[in-house]
């Protein structure tokens, strides 16, 4: 799977192989982001909701990953990207609207 996808087998991982976590990563995280992108490109009403869900999913994935995998710079990068995604989407959803 390449150098970025290696999981230290000696860690406290509940998985015997790296295949299952990577399939879940691709389907869940990748799928939600692809769905959000497709809806945003078509300007569908629920696009921002799915973009926010994708940002939250990314943050949750990184939190859980940091429990099982020793710290990596990529974890910090993806954490910042998840925060940026939410920081850009949540105001568009009106969460910080002072008129409400």
């Amino acid at each position: 799977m390449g150098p970025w996808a290696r999981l230290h087998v000696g860690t406290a991982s509940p998985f015997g192989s790296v295949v299952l976590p990577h399939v879940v990563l691709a389907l869940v995280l990748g799928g939600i982001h692809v769905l959000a992108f497709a809806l945003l490109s078509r300007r569908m009403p629920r696009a921002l909701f799915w973009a926010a869900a994708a940002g939250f999913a990314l943050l949750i994935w990184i939190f859980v990953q940091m429990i099982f995998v020793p710290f990596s710079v990529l974890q910090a990068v993806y954490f910042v990207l998840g925060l940026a995604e939410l920081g850009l989407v949540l105001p568009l959803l009106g969460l910080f609207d002072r008129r409400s």
Side-chain angles (χ1 to χ4, degrees):
M1 293 244 175
W4 302 111
R6 283 190 214 138
L7 177 67
H8 301 286
V9 180
T11 62
S13 172
F15 307 106
S17 169
V18 296
V19 175
L20 180 62
H22 287 100
V23 168
V24 172
L25 176 66
L27 293 178
V28 174
L29 268 179
I32 293 174
H33 278 90
V34 167
L35 175 65
F37 176 77
L39 293 174
L40 282 168
S41 66
R42 293 188 176 103
R43 300 185 190 278
M44 301 295 283
R46 289 285 188 188
L48 292 176
F49 168 79
W50 285 104
F56 279 116
L58 180 57
L59 290 177
I60 291 168
W61 180 269
I62 292 300
F63 284 139
V64 172
Q65 185 185 49
M66 290 176 77
I67 294 170
F68 296 108
V69 179
F71 178 77
S72 166
V73 174
L74 281 177
Q75 291 171 331
V77 168
Y78 284 117
F79 182 79
V80 169
L81 288 174
L83 286 177
E85 187 172 10
L86 286 175
L88 294 170
V89 170
L90 292 180
L92 293 174
L93 283 170
L95 263 59
F96 304 113
D97 189 12
R98 294 180 186 229
R99 293 177 286 177
S100 320

